[in-house]
Amino acid sequence: MEVLRVFNNNVVLARRDGWQDVIATGRGLGFQAKPGHQVDEERLVRVFVPDEGRDSDTLGSLVAAIPPEHLDLAGRALESVHEELGFEPGSATIVALADHLSFAFTRRRQGLEMEYPLRAEVSHLYPDELGTAARLLEFVEQHGGVQLPGGEAVPIAMHLVTAGFSGGDISATYRMTGVITQLFDVLEQVLDAPVDRESVNAARFIAHLRYFFVRVHGERQLEDASDRLGDSVRQAFPEAHVAARRLQTVMELRLGQPVSPAELTYLTIHVARMIEDASAAG
């Protein structure tokens, strides 16, 4: 690897295999290094690859601002829950977690504890990620020597959700969380009845919405539902169809793009299941 730029004594921008720009880290890796030098492989600890379309200089500046030990701890913590994640954490996830942990350690030393207003939403919408985040915090305590408040699992869970679907853009995750919460509120208003947000059918609805956001993000909404299926669903579940149309309006307003007829059909099916739950509970 050829050094392109030195950020500090531990972080350099390098070119790998003659074409790929990466961020290389390691104790003393940038010390006395100059553009054109070869990266000292013996000091190399981690290589961060910028996500497609992301600026390598920006990533390098962020990495350089994080203590090396926090980068290493974040990487090892994610490796400890690798089997639970269901995906391979990219550079953006490791750096985002390390950045969060670094600030959390500072707050801990100063005796400050953050309040996370989305805690209830995260526990309902992302229980698996929240559980993984809690175990990740246990690893941090055991190997980092710092016990962080349990509430720190909330933003970490959000980072895991982000890594799983939106290519590292946590703002998209916050928007998704807000939309899903609003959809439940609208559904309860339309039905004039509470919806059990911890039921199996609610979990299916949430999973459907999460994958819907993935499809919207990739500009590939479902288009495979036939007109006959859509007509059958509308006739079989008229109340659910009316409610789903209300949800469709909210989704289009919040996302700034139309919801396809096929998406509406599957949305109606999920709403119908939750209406059945509400009727049984009533």
Side-chain angles (χ1 to χ4, degrees):
M1 286 191 290
E2 178 187 352
V3 175
L4 299 179
R5 177 183 171 188
V6 177
F7 288 98
N8 60 28
N9 283 344
N10 305 311
V11 182
V12 302
L13 173 65
R15 181 154 294 161
R16 183 167 63 180
D17 300 327
W19 65 274
Q20 186 181 43
D21 289 357
V22 299
I23 307 302
T25 67
R27 288 285 185 183
L29 193 65
F31 181 67
Q32 294 185 336
K34 304 288 184 183
H37 287 183
Q38 290 297 304
V39 171
D40 186 346
E41 300 286 343
E42 292 185 358
R43 294 182 175 181
L44 183 65
V45 175
R46 285 187 181 273
V47 173
F48 296 98
V49 181
D51 292 332
E52 185 176 354
R54 294 181 181 270
D55 181 62
S56 55
D57 280 333
T58 301
L59 177 62
S61 297
L62 180 57
V63 170
I66 303 171
E69 62 271 20
H70 296 167
L71 285 165
D72 181 61
L73 180 61
R76 290 189 293 126
L78 285 167
E79 289 169 3
S80 75
V81 295
H82 180 266
E83 292 185 2
E84 299 179 44
L85 293 177
F87 61 87
E88 191 68 36
S91 295
T93 303
I94 297 174
V95 173
L97 177 60
D99 188 52
H100 178 84
L101 290 176
S102 190
F103 277 108
F105 292 155
T106 299
R107 291 194 300 270
R108 188 63 170 169
R109 287 195 301 269
Q110 295 173 344
L112 301 175
E113 186 168 344
M114 291 285 289
E115 289 292 332
Y116 295 105
L118 290 177
R119 185 166 191 159
E121 286 85 349
V122 170
S123 65
H124 287 135
L125 300 180
Y126 317 121
D128 292 341
E129 287 85 352
L130 189 61
T132 299
R135 285 180 282 281
L136 193 150
L137 277 178
E138 291 176 1
F139 181 94
V140 168
E141 180 181 351
Q142 293 171 3
H143 298 271
V146 180
Q147 182 177 12
L148 295 176
E152 292 292 342
V154 173
I156 291 175
M158 295 289 278
H159 282 297
L160 298 182
V161 173
T162 298
F165 96 97
S166 63
D169 182 5
I170 198 167
S171 65
T173 302
Y174 278 100
R175 180 173 63 166
M176 177 180 70
T177 303
V179 172
I180 294 176
T181 300
Q182 184 178 5
L183 292 178
F184 272 111
D185 292 340
V186 170
L187 186 58
E188 290 182 336
Q189 293 173 6
V190 173
L191 301 180
D192 193 25
V195 173
D196 183 359
R197 304 186 187 194
E198 298 185 13
S199 69
V200 172
N201 284 324
R204 289 170 176 160
F205 178 59
I206 292 168
H208 175 80
L209 290 174
R210 291 177 64 176
Y211 284 110
F212 168 76
F213 271 81
V214 173
R215 293 192 292 273
V216 168
H217 185 74
E219 299 183 354
R220 53 180 188 274
Q221 291 188 47
L222 293 176
E223 299 290 353
D224 60 349
S226 66
D227 292 339
R228 181 177 298 178
L229 175 60
D231 291 341
S232 298
V233 169
R234 284 193 294 272
Q235 292 172 10
F237 310 112
E239 183 183 7
H241 179 68
V242 171
R245 288 295 299 271
R246 285 282 298 276
L247 299 185
Q248 178 189 25
T249 299
V250 173
M251 292 161 73
E252 291 179 341
L253 287 172
R254 292 292 301 271
L255 301 177
Q257 58 180 287
V259 174
S260 73
E263 294 285 1
L264 177 61
T265 295
Y266 290 110
L267 190 64
T268 301
I269 293 172
H270 283 286
V271 171
R273 290 171 173 169
M274 288 189 290
I275 289 177
E276 290 179 2
D277 287 344
S279 297

